[in-house]
Amino acid sequence: MGRSLHSFTAYARPYLNPNSRYATTGCPFSKRQRSQVAPTAALNDEIFANAKPYSEVPGPKPIPILGNTWRMVPIIGQFDISEFAKVTKMFLEQYGRIVRLGGLIGRPDLLFVYDADEIERMYRREGPTPFRPAMPCLVKYKSEVRKDFFGELPGVVGVHGEQWRRFRSKVQRPILQPQTVKKYVAPIELVTEDFIKYMEDARDANGDLPHEFDNDIHRWSLECIGRVALDVRLGCLSPNLTKDSEPQRIIDAAKFALRNVAVLELKAPYWRYFPTPLWTKYVNNMNFFIDLCSRYINEALERLKTKKVTSENELSLLERVLRSEGDPKIATIMALDLILVGIDTISMAVCSILYQAATRVKQQEKMAEEIRRVLPDPSQPLTYSDLDKLHYTKAFVREVFRMYSTVIGNGRTLQEDDVICGYHIPKGVQVVFPTIVTGNMEQFVANPEEFRPERWLQSDERLHSFASLPYGFGARICLGRRFADLEIQVLLAKLLRRYRLEYHHEPLEYAVTFMYAPDGPLRLRMLPRNE
């Protein structure tokens, strides 16, 4: 549901001078540093005339025929895709705040921008249909392989322009309405209670969770998303789940579809011209998703026909979309996008959050104290207002996202020429905002190497609004972010209220699959707290 932890009130404020701060509001994240450039300043002929040419943008030099694609080839290449977070940091150190990676066979140049002011300026100037760098494999699947199904309704993931705007407008209101999200506190709490019971039973005599616990987190995530997007309990938390069960097949298919995007897009794209084994498996996975979602949507449609509704508040998210649009395919594609992007994104974020909590005892105890104050009785059902009071807990999550951004960056495909960091950049270039790096730059964050959630609750230090954007920003901000927030907050509230997490093994390195997360068995220890 990949990418700004809150609809920060700061985003809507008018431009302030560089030294000003936001006024204090009820939102603990509203006091962040503003850009030092006027973000909506118009470009003019003089700015273009004084800009340096695109050819002078620094970056790795391509070689004849193979360009820079060879750098991603196993054995002979320099860059391992799983190490791409380190590669983006190396680009900054070697070339500076703007880096061109050109000569990529079959795709436009990538332009890495390590300047939060420039990132803000680009976000704030974009129109109503910004182009996120395409996922060509998903575009080909939706527009060619399964055009029979998608037609003029391709969804929001890997889609751009007017088609994207029309579809998003159909589903945006019910998904983003706070009252819709509030309805799911109890259902998500119920799923999470079942997950914690599963965790209790899965522990060994020392309280250690199984080595494959990251897959268990995927099962919890899928159960939550299934409850939201499909109105059903999929049974992911059954203790006897087999490798060929439908829930595990969904998890495996989602992992495969997302984690091979980088392989399909950054390496030589032979799949565009003939069906490679990887492409064939990708298509089969996507077909499996469509069949699954269609089946559950049809069941929901049948239930809705006989459901007596006296108020819209009684309708689930899925039922609201079905009733307002009247087209089951819209609901199917919405669910497809939420499940496809949401399972791995939320799961990997939670792996990172729980690992950081287990290895940062002081901060974990501060969260536990806050949760205990808000929930003195651990058996009391959660409310939305309870979650709203967990300021430090939310700040902890925000700090994890800053230092270990689950999504290593966002981006845009330029729809017109621009001037970025003093260079004339032609339209068509794909600009990457590597927030895994900018969120850790001294220029934009005070003492960035220090893990300190309190920075998000204070207004007296350097913290740039656009240095860390885990859910993106603007018109294309993550559609499912409110539900992602809800699931993460409910899990932390219920788990840390009753249990302490510990980690007693070698530190885990972070690596990129599709997400950026701890690489290796998440061998957490789960011990009861004193009430």
Side-chain angles (χ1 to χ4, degrees), residues 4-12 27 176 471 477 481-482 485:
S4 149
L5 243 175
H6 274 268
S7 295
F8 298 111
T9 56
Y11 287 161
C27 173
L176 293 181
Y471 292 155
I477 194 169
R481 68 192 184 278
R482 293 189 189 276
D485 286 341

Side-chain angles (χ1 to χ4, degrees), residues 297-355:
I297 298 302
N298 288 335
E299 290 175 5
L301 193 60
E302 290 302 311
R303 289 195 302 270
L304 188 58
K305 288 178 181 177
T306 58
K307 184 174 183 176
K308 294 180 180 179
V309 179
T310 58
S311 166
E312 189 180 90
N313 289 333
E314 298 175 22
L315 297 174
S316 67
L317 169 63
L318 178 59
E319 290 169 340
R320 287 187 186 204
V321 174
L322 285 170
R323 174 170 276 205
S324 64
E325 297 301 328
D327 185 349
K329 187 174 286 188
I330 292 174
T332 302
I333 296 169
M334 176 197 72
L336 175 73
D337 281 351
L338 287 175
I339 293 171
L340 179 64
V341 178
I343 295 174
D344 210 28
T345 309
I346 295 175
S347 299
M348 291 293 92
V350 167
C351 285
S352 184
I353 291 164
L354 295 185
Y355 173 69

Side-chain angles (χ1 to χ4, degrees), residues 111-143:
L111 189 77
F112 294 81
V113 176
Y114 302 87
D115 188 313
D117 286 341
E118 289 282 14
I119 293 170
E120 176 175 10
R121 182 186 63 80
M122 296 182 69
Y123 269 126
R124 291 194 183 279
R125 288 182 64 245
E126 64 187 11
T129 56
F131 275 60
R132 177 177 288 160
M135 299 165 69
C137 48
L138 189 57
V139 171
K140 181 180 177 69
Y141 177 81
K142 287 184 172 183
S143 63

Side-chain angles (χ1 to χ4, degrees), residues 457-474:
L457 307 175
Q458 298 167 351
S459 61
D460 57 352
E461 65 176 80
R462 185 168 60 260
L463 185 56
H464 197 293
S465 304
F466 284 73
S468 174
L469 295 171
Y471 292 155
F473 177 80

